[in-house]
Amino acid sequence: MRVGDAPLSAGDLRPRATISMDRAVFPQRWAWSLAVLGGLIAVAACEEGENPLAPDPLPPGIAVLAIVPPSDTLYSIADTVHFRVVTFDQAGVEVASNGVLWRSSDPNVVRIEEGGLAISKSNGAVTINATLGLASDSAAIVVAQRAERVEAALAADTLDAIGDTARASATAYDAKGFVLGKGVVAWASSDKSVALVSRSGVVTGVGDGTAFITATAGSASKMKFT
């Protein structure tokens, strides 16, 4: 203290808070007040806006998701159809989509592989689902074998007497060479005055002459004579 200066009081000797550009020292009660105020501001922000942890309903830039084609029918076992997902932004412009998850409602009928390739396993109907984030779409697919080829045979080509019988058999195949189930073959005789054929393929001679026995499945047929 210099001579001539006013004497210092006890209050002048108490430490004071100092503030600098890189560090601030506050009384402890101020620090508690700032902490509580910060918590209130954070709570208010969460209440006014959406949950910041909630996933986006769609990846950024994607507004619409759809499966192409929306439906299809496969006519053979081991037949395939390639589904794909198309995505559009809010302006209606198609954009790229990655990470699509595919699922079949019944893999025993149709198996769906990564990338959207569907492979028929048996006759039936399934739903194919594609999911991207929280967005999804579905497509319907039916497997209905269609005969492309029929092979037929008669146990005997000639019936020697009226009332004699012979068993006819036939097998239908789809385009991939897989056998169709039972009951798909229809039988017919070209001349019912010579030979009759039952639904199960039993041929019965009823008169002299020649008759052609035909096995038909879909658009495919095979003819035999007796």
Side-chain angles (χ1 to χ4, degrees):
M1 179 178 68
R2 293 178 303 177
V3 176
D5 288 346
L8 295 175
S9 65
D12 295 327
L13 298 177
R14 289 191 303 233
R16 298 180 181 180
T18 61
I19 300 176
S20 63
M21 294 298 293
D22 58 346
R23 185 177 180 185
V25 179
F26 300 100
Q28 185 174 8
R29 65 178 181 275
W30 292 9
W32 280 105
S33 299
L34 290 174
V36 173
L37 179 59
L40 293 175
I41 293 174
V43 171
C46 290
E47 289 179 351
E48 293 177 0
E50 296 181 355
N51 182 357
L53 300 180
D56 293 334
L58 282 173
I62 295 179
V64 178
L65 180 149
I67 295 180
V68 177
S71 63
D72 207 338
T73 300
L74 301 179
Y75 296 102
S76 302
I77 303 302
D79 203 357
T80 61
V81 58
H82 194 186
F83 290 98
R84 69 185 183 94
V85 163
V86 292
T87 49
F88 301 89
D89 61 18
Q90 294 183 352
V93 178
E94 186 172 352
V95 294
S97 58
N98 298 311
V100 176
L101 299 179
W102 295 92
R103 186 180 66 85
S104 170
S105 62
D106 190 346
N108 293 321
V109 176
V110 175
R111 186 178 79 244
I112 187 75
E113 296 185 345
E114 183 178 355
L117 181 65
I119 305 173
S120 58
K121 306 294 289 183
S122 63
N123 291 295
V126 301
T127 299
I128 300 298
N129 292 99
T131 303
L132 181 61
L134 296 181
S136 65
D137 192 21
S138 61
I141 184 168
V142 174
V143 181
Q145 278 180 287
R146 183 167 59 191
E148 295 292 336
R149 178 170 60 91
V150 175
E151 294 294 335
L154 278 172
D157 289 339
T158 302
L159 300 178
D160 297 325
I162 303 299
D164 281 357
T165 61
R167 170 70 67 175
S169 61
T171 304
Y173 302 87
D174 63 23
K176 296 288 186 179
F178 288 87
V179 176
L180 274 69
K182 295 180 179 180
V184 299
V185 174
W187 295 97
S189 171
S190 63
D191 191 342
K192 294 181 180 180
S193 66
V194 175
L196 300 176
V197 59
S198 69
R199 291 182 177 179
S200 60
V202 177
V203 180
T204 303
V206 294
D208 295 332
T210 299
F212 293 93
I213 304 300
T214 304
T216 303
S219 60
S221 64
K222 189 73 173 182
M223 185 179 295
K224 289 291 183 177
F225 67 91
T226 184

